[in-house]
Amino acid sequence: MANVQFLDKVPVGRIYLLHSNPRHEPFETEGEAIKYLCENEDVYALARDIVNLGMNPLETCGIIPADKKKSGGTYFVAEGNRRICALKLLNDPELAPTKLRNGFRRLAENWTPIKFVRGARFEDIEDIKVWLDRTHNGPQGGIGRRQWNAEQKSRFDGDNKNRPSQALLDYAEKEKMISAEDRKGKLTTVQRFLSNDVFREAMGFDQSNPDDVGRSRPKPEFDAVVKRFMSDLVGKEKVHSRMNKAEIIEYARPLNSLPGVTTTRVEPESLTTDSPTGQPKKTRKKKPKKPDKAAHVHYDEEIFQALRAYGNDKLESLYHSICDVKLDPHTPLVCIGAWAFFETLTACAGRHEKTPFPSFLQSSKLTSYGITGKTTALKEALERIGGYGNTTKHHPVSASFNGDQLNNDFIALKDVILKCINEAAQKAS
């Protein structure tokens, strides 16, 4: 190992920038090196950070004697050029390039100058090169400095953006849905999906409190959705980091129709029982809570597949839009879309153009579809959709803004929609 001497107090005024630093081409003067570092290596931002927090105590400057014949003389800085440059300009702003001089003057106004730094003294540049290599040339198979990946960084700084994704992966690993090895490198992909509200709604994932994310589905149903997502995440074919918003929504929709998954929702329950510090988390308050409003009309994969099999592009597009457009603040638009969907569907099934679709789908028609029992509620739902659409379209002021009711009506009318598609398909064949 090269001979190195650790010095606690090296005067900043006796340290010079290395003119042949690897960060730049060799310069003739220190002034040229200062100009380059300021313009290309973010020295001003570093100086501002030093004013706010001081020198990083985890870093030591690597120095070599400017004249080996003199003991305790002057030094060149071989590691820490940016730090020494920042200190020099804070101590004497007149050394800064003209366009940055006023900025350094302002930084220097309210700070206590740092006159000394810790140094690791090497005999010459060859002795320190091996450590410069370890510091600046990446992991090198483990001998160099390794950067934190996204997941490790999230664990360290508690990044709000990635915290929910971290919690979901932790939950999935705990439930043995994904292994510690398979989850590596997946954090940003999970975050990309969880940033999509359609995906979160389909999963039943509640991240209103990033510090304590939860599920709004019963645990068996939530687990079924998460297990499928983790499987697809590891497989990389159906879930990958290059998917755009539309592709994520297309992936999310069928999750609602997985075996055993229903429309049931529960009061959000925490995915974790312990905090990152190991202390028990406060349980969510068990007081009555107003139910969340529906974000979208519930998408049903069975309906979508039936429309696709039927082959009517207009109906397929209408259904996609009805389920894709947010109810808040677009309920009036969705109501008109819902009206157009039923108008078109019933017309394809044989409705006369002068007959309103609620009248077409009267009790006798529902009976012929094999739908019996509580048909009154279905007829009321059809009347509401017809009324909501007509009112919103034609009245100069009145419009429907009840997205929750529209969503509920679509869920209730699932069997009617499927039977009507089937009749339309039979008439087209």
Side-chain angles (χ1 to χ4, degrees), residues 57-327:
L58 301 180
E59 295 180 327
T60 299
C61 292
I63 56 176
I64 56 176
D67 188 343
K68 294 182 181 180
K69 297 179 180 179
K70 293 183 180 181
S71 177
T74 56
Y75 303 92
F76 285 117
V77 57
E79 169 56 22
N81 252 26
R82 294 175 63 249
R83 281 169 279 158
I84 296 301
C85 182
L87 289 179
K88 284 179 175 289
L89 299 184
L90 287 170
N91 290 342
D92 185 0
E94 302 308 311
L95 297 175
T98 303
K99 63 181 180 181
L100 290 176
R101 201 165 292 160
N102 286 336
F104 276 99
R105 285 171 182 157
R106 287 191 294 271
L107 288 178
E109 284 176 358
N110 299 310
W111 91 299
T112 302
I114 294 175
K115 298 294 186 180
F116 301 92
V117 295
R118 289 181 300 137
R121 181 188 182 281
F122 293 81
E123 286 301 313
D124 54 44
I125 193 66
E126 293 303 320
D127 287 342
I128 197 175
K129 269 187 175 180
V130 64
W131 303 115
L132 294 175
D133 177 67
R134 298 295 189 273
T135 302
H136 295 289
N137 279 339
Q140 304 176 66
I143 64 174
R145 181 170 293 176
R146 291 180 59 85
Q147 295 291 323
W148 283 333
N149 60 34
E151 185 167 347
Q152 292 163 341
K153 184 178 179 182
S154 178
R155 287 187 187 281
F156 170 73
D157 61 19
D159 183 6
N160 277 336
K161 180 175 134 180
N162 284 330
R163 201 179 302 167
S165 312
Q166 184 80 55
L168 181 61
L169 284 167
D170 288 345
Y171 176 83
E173 184 179 347
K174 179 183 175 183
E175 297 290 325
K176 303 190 184 311
M177 300 175 188
I178 191 171
S179 69
E181 183 65 27
D182 284 339
R183 69 180 284 180
K184 289 181 180 179
K186 303 296 193 299
L187 184 71
T188 53
T189 301
V190 175
Q191 189 278 325
R192 186 178 184 86
F193 275 72
L194 287 182
S195 66
N196 186 286
D197 56 353
V198 175
F199 177 78
R200 291 198 308 274
E201 185 181 353
M203 177 174 281
F205 187 82
D206 175 59
Q207 63 178 39
S208 55
N209 178 4
D211 293 321
D212 188 17
V213 297
R215 56 176 174 78
S216 58
R217 283 189 182 277
K219 189 176 186 306
E221 298 186 23
F222 178 77
D223 285 355
V225 177
V226 176
K227 188 174 183 179
R228 169 61 64 83
F229 177 59
M230 291 296 148
S231 174
D232 293 338
L233 179 68
V234 173
K236 297 182 181 179
E237 183 176 343
K238 295 182 179 179
V239 171
H240 53 80
S241 60
R242 300 181 302 280
M243 293 173 70
N244 58 32
K245 179 181 177 181
E247 291 169 332
I248 291 174
I249 290 174
E250 185 177 357
Y251 171 82
R253 296 296 193 194
L255 296 177
N256 287 303
S257 302
L258 290 174
V261 175
T262 69
T263 59
T264 303
R265 299 289 167 159
V266 297
E267 182 77 11
E269 296 180 9
S270 176
L271 292 189
T272 58
T273 56
D274 296 314
S275 69
T277 60
Q279 297 297 320
K281 281 191 175 182
K282 295 180 179 179
T283 56
R284 292 174 180 262
K285 295 181 179 180
K286 297 298 182 181
K287 63 180 182 180
K289 176 186 174 183
K290 184 178 179 181
D292 292 334
K293 290 184 174 294
H296 302 84
V297 167
H298 175 73
Y299 169 89
D300 190 283
E301 179 69 10
E302 191 175 357
I303 291 176
F304 181 76
Q305 293 300 335
L307 288 170
R308 176 161 286 184
Y310 172 37
N312 186 308
D313 291 340
K314 176 183 176 181
L315 282 170
E316 190 177 330
S317 179
L318 277 171
Y319 185 68
H320 176 271
S321 296
I322 292 166
C323 298
D324 187 57
V325 175
K326 288 186 175 182
L327 288 169

